[in-house]
Amino acid sequence: MKKQSIFNRLLSYMMRYKWITLLAFVFVFLTTLVTTALPLLARSYIDRFISTGHAVAGFYLLVIYYALFLLCVLLTFLGQYSFAKVAHSVVRDLRQEAFANIQKLRMTYFDQTPAGAIVSRLTNDTQAVADMFSSIFSSFLSSIFILVVTSVTMFTLNWQLAVFILMFLPIILGTIMLYQRLSTNLLKQVRSRLSDLNVKLSESIEGMRIIQAFSQEERLTTEFEKINQQHLDYTNRYLDVNSLLLRPAMSLLKILAYGVILSYFGLTWQVAGITAGVMYAFIQYANQLFNPLIEVMQNYSVLQTSMVAAERVFAVIDQKDYEPEQREHPLQIKKGMIEFKHVSFSYDGKREILKDISFQVNQGETIAFVGATGSGKSSIINLFLRFYEFDRGKVLIDGHDIKDYSQAELRRNIGLVLQEPFLYHGTIASNIQMYQEDLTHNDIEEAAKFVDAHDFICQLPLGYDAPVTERGAAFSSGQRQLIAFARTVATKPKILIMDEATANIDSETEELIQASLRKMRQGRTTIAIAHRLSTIQDADCIYVLEKGRIIESGSHDELLAQNGVYKKMYQLQAGMMEKA
């Protein structure tokens, strides 16, 4: 994305708040007028009163001077305050749009993008954009106004000296162009390494148990130190460019301008008749001319940061890899019959994960998929839940193409139980309700009772109002799973998807979980992915997957009789349990 298009797009966000922006412009313009008037008052006071020895007689000019100075301070504050309000409003809009778009993206995006990078874009990068609006716009506009007004004023005082001063502008512009060329790539590297730091930090915090369990602290520290050092190196190189081409270079040019003014005054005061007041005014105008340009140059680094950050934020907002679209027909799931017809699927468009998958589940039946890791079990679930799009084959619900149902209808009638239940910050009640306003507290309790979670919840000091910390770390794996079961049951889905729901449950808790699962499956069409074969022996049909194909199918007894892969898997697990 080109810088010009990024800048124009940011301006469009600012124009959403056009009235307060216009007010900020007015404050900046008035500040410029007052600032320009101050040297003229000083010049008048010097030439009319100090030079003639009647300083006291011009006391009223001093009063006006300091009154205008205080007015300038007030106007500066109001201008910066107005721009700050616009800045924070724009950041809120950017974050909201980016977050809303993230909610619509398909799982592929999250498979390929680290969570830390996404967090960095919605926090650090959006804040960098705010700096542009609150700092750069006010100083840039002020610089433009001051440049125009000051130049006109200097020409009215002495056009020859004004020409000498304005000859410095091409040098300043050349310095700006050189700075831009040297700093842009360095700044991108700084932002990129900062994102890498966030990713590494996020991964380390989330996986701290594994890191400590496998004594990987030193390795992670070394990797973090490497990225951190790279960030420091690029930051130092960026600072080197700033230190050379920002304030030092501009300050040198300002000193040279002072020298030109004093030299011109010293050489021509007798001929040209330049007064001390005019010289003082020119020195002040040169200062007013260079100081804003110095500020612009310093803020140019902020602008560079903001433009790079804005590009990263817009990349999230413009990401169109949305979850599969539904045709939004007014169909309703009534029975929950499922059928896969010759479905093939590839995540990357090259290597097929599922190959010609066909099966049928009647209303109220339970089927299960078993197989080695990578055989395609979870991919079948991902397609059925519409997390990914498929092009070959058909998936039917009650005889209708799954793509013809609205997304709301699918989400309302398909319940999902994952291997690792995810609980949110809040309470047990809010985690079961999942902010569905139509679910009452009685509905929540009934769902908890149905899955045998009510007893342990009532034993907690606050019951259903017991707080849930991040990921429900305060509860056992079995308790978390029961809460997740209650969350699923509360919506009364017609179809139930279980993705290895008992894989992480201890044997003592498993019996309770299994009893809850049996209740949940009653009257519901169920697709289960099983790790422990003992948990799906009562399934109406079991499908054995290998490299994306169904190689065996039948009931538990039928598969054992086939003396194939399933029997070997069953015997292997049975042998391991006996040894245990």
Side-chain angles (χ1 to χ4, degrees):
M1 192 182 297
K2 293 183 179 179
K3 288 185 178 180
Q4 185 62 43
S5 61
I6 296 174
F7 188 76
N8 292 339
R9 191 167 176 182
L10 288 173
L11 285 180
S12 69
Y13 279 86
M14 185 177 71
M15 293 312 296
R16 296 179 181 180
Y17 308 95
K18 55 186 178 182
W19 294 115
I20 189 172
T21 301
L22 179 61
L23 188 62
F25 287 172
V26 171
F27 286 138
V28 171
F29 182 68
L30 292 177
T31 302
T32 303
L33 293 180
V34 174
T35 304
T36 307
L38 290 175
L40 291 177
L41 279 173
R43 171 226 175 187
S44 179
Y45 181 71
I46 291 172
D47 289 344
R48 290 174 56 189
F49 299 104
I50 293 182
S51 299
T52 59
H54 299 87
V56 177
F59 182 74
Y60 71 93
L61 282 181
L62 290 179
V63 173
I64 296 174
Y65 182 91
Y66 285 109
L68 287 178
F69 180 80
L70 293 175
L71 178 61
C72 182
V73 172
L74 176 62
L75 291 172
T76 301
F77 165 75
L78 293 174
Q80 292 179 349
Y81 178 78
S82 300
F83 273 116
K85 289 193 69 174
V86 173
H88 292 299
S89 298
V90 169
V91 167
R92 178 199 60 197
D93 293 346
L94 287 172
R95 285 175 175 165
Q96 190 63 40
E97 288 187 23
F99 186 79
N101 196 58
I102 286 173
Q103 306 304 308
K104 298 185 289 185
L105 297 177
R106 69 173 70 189
M107 292 298 116
T108 306
Y109 178 79
F110 301 100
D111 293 341
Q112 300 171 352
T113 309
I118 300 175
V119 172
S120 178
R121 294 190 182 194
L122 265 68
T123 53
N124 297 341
D125 290 334
T126 51
Q127 188 57 48
V129 174
D131 295 337
M132 183 182 74
F133 284 98
S134 59
S135 301
I136 297 174
F137 268 109
S138 58
S139 64
F140 180 75
L141 286 173
S142 177
S143 300
I144 295 297
F145 291 151
I146 287 177
L147 179 63
V148 174
V149 176
T150 302
S151 299
V152 172
T153 307
M154 285 194 299
F155 270 96
T156 60
L157 290 175
N158 188 295
W159 71 268
Q160 295 98 332
L161 186 53
V163 169
F164 282 121
I165 299 301
L166 294 180
M167 286 176 62
F168 285 93
L169 290 181
I171 302 175
I172 294 173
L173 293 176
T175 305
I176 293 175
M177 294 175 65
L178 178 61
Y179 173 78
Q180 178 184 11
R181 182 176 180 181
L182 295 177
S183 64
T184 300
N185 184 60
L186 289 174
L187 183 59
K188 286 184 177 180
Q189 294 294 338
V190 170
R191 302 300 299 181
S192 177
R193 294 305 180 275
L194 181 60
S195 178
D196 292 341
L197 281 174
N198 282 321
V199 171
K200 183 60 66 176
L201 184 61
S202 176
E203 288 181 347
S204 299
I205 293 174
E206 290 183 6
M208 188 57 68
R209 292 182 180 179
I210 300 300
I211 292 171
Q212 293 182 357
F214 286 87
S215 301
Q216 296 296 300
E217 296 92 339
E218 185 175 349
R219 180 181 67 83
L220 267 296
T221 301
T222 302
E223 291 179 0
F224 188 86
E225 182 180 1
K226 180 180 178 181
I227 300 173
N228 203 17
Q229 183 63 43
Q230 290 175 347
H231 180 263
L232 176 63
D233 292 341
Y234 281 112
T235 301
N236 287 337
R237 289 165 62 183
Y238 183 63
L239 289 175
D240 291 340
V241 175
N242 288 359
S243 301
L244 177 64
L245 296 178
L246 289 182
R247 180 169 286 276
M250 294 297 102
S251 297
L252 176 61
L253 291 175
K254 183 170 71 172
I255 293 172
L256 291 176
Y258 289 165
V260 169
I261 295 171
L262 294 174
S263 299
Y264 186 85
F265 176 76
L267 294 173
T268 64
W269 69 275
Q270 289 180 322
V271 178
I274 297 179
T275 65
V278 172
M279 185 190 72
Y280 174 82
F282 260 93
I283 290 176
Q284 291 301 310
Y285 284 136
N287 193 52
Q288 288 181 10
L289 195 66
F290 278 91
N291 279 349
L293 291 175
I294 291 173
E295 189 175 349
V296 168
M297 282 291 288
Q298 286 184 312
N299 284 331
Y300 191 79
S301 62
V302 180
L303 175 63
Q304 293 281 76
T305 302
S306 300
M307 295 297 282
V308 173
E311 184 177 8
R312 289 161 56 85
V313 175
F314 286 140
V316 176
I317 294 176
D318 296 337
Q319 180 61 246
K320 302 302 182 185
D321 191 16
Y322 293 143
E323 57 186 350
E325 293 185 1
Q326 301 300 110
R327 299 192 183 105
E328 302 296 332
H329 290 176
L331 294 174
Q332 291 185 341
I333 299 175
K334 297 181 178 180
K335 296 181 179 180
M337 294 175 57
I338 302 169
E339 185 175 4
F340 273 54
K341 285 187 173 182
H342 307 289
V343 174
S344 296
F345 171 69
S346 171
Y347 286 103
D348 56 11
K350 299 176 182 178
R351 186 172 65 92
E352 284 194 337
I353 302 299
L354 298 178
K355 305 170 185 176
D356 196 32
I357 298 295
S358 297
F359 63 87
Q360 183 173 342
V361 196
N362 295 320
Q363 180 183 5
E365 288 186 348
T366 296
I367 68 166
F369 289 97
V370 299
T373 301
S375 60
K377 304 186 298 296
S378 294
S379 296
I380 292 176
I381 301 302
N382 286 336
L383 293 189
F384 185 70
L385 291 170
R386 302 295 287 145
F387 290 155
Y388 298 88
E389 187 58 275
F390 62 95
D391 298 319
R392 288 161 292 172
K394 280 190 174 184
V395 177
L396 307 177
I397 300 179
D398 290 345
H400 298 283
D401 194 324
I402 193 173
K403 299 178 183 180
D404 289 337
Y405 290 93
S406 68
Q407 187 183 82
E409 181 68 12
L410 292 176
R411 297 290 183 260
R412 186 164 49 246
N413 288 281
I414 299 177
L416 176 64
V417 178
L418 295 172
Q419 173 181 340
E420 189 66 41
F422 191 94
L423 301 184
Y424 295 87
H425 273 288
T427 64
I428 291 179
S430 67
N431 268 275
I432 296 176
Q433 186 185 35
M434 282 299 287
Y435 305 99
Q436 299 176 85
E437 295 181 359
D438 57 327
L439 291 181
T440 65
H441 189 76
N442 287 335
D443 295 329
I444 294 171
E445 284 196 15
E446 287 180 11
K449 290 176 181 177
F450 187 83
V451 299
D452 299 320
H454 179 73
D455 291 342
F456 95 80
I457 294 175
C458 289
Q459 292 175 5
L460 299 172
L462 297 178
Y464 284 86
D465 292 324
V468 177
T469 56
E470 187 175 6
R471 295 180 178 271
F475 301 101
S476 68
S477 58
Q479 290 172 333
R480 291 197 300 271
Q481 193 64 283
L482 288 175
I483 294 173
F485 287 176
R487 172 197 297 166
T488 301
V489 169
T491 61
K492 299 178 181 178
K494 294 183 174 65
I495 300 171
L496 186 62
I497 306 296
M498 299 189 301
D499 189 353
E500 301 195 40
T502 61
N504 296 328
I505 305 300
D506 57 83
S507 300
E508 184 177 343
T509 311
E510 183 180 349
E511 186 175 342
L512 178 62
I513 298 294
Q514 286 294 344
S516 299
L517 285 174
R518 282 192 290 270
K519 290 182 182 179
M520 293 172 65
R521 285 162 41 190
Q522 289 176 2
R524 293 186 174 93
T525 305
T526 304
I527 299 178
I529 292 177
H531 174 70
R532 299 178 183 176
L533 302 184
S534 58
T535 63
I536 46 90
Q537 292 182 17
D538 60 341
D540 295 288
C541 189
I542 301 171
Y543 295 91
V544 182
L545 291 172
E546 186 176 277
K547 296 181 180 179
R549 295 185 183 276
I550 296 176
I551 59 172
E552 295 178 8
S553 64
S555 66
H556 173 71
D557 294 332
E558 290 171 347
L559 287 173
L560 290 179
Q562 291 180 23
N563 200 27
V565 173
Y566 180 84
K567 184 175 182 179
K568 293 179 181 178
M569 293 172 60
Y570 181 75
Q571 289 176 337
L572 179 62
Q573 288 194 11
M576 292 175 62
M577 290 179 64
E578 288 178 2
K579 290 180 180 179

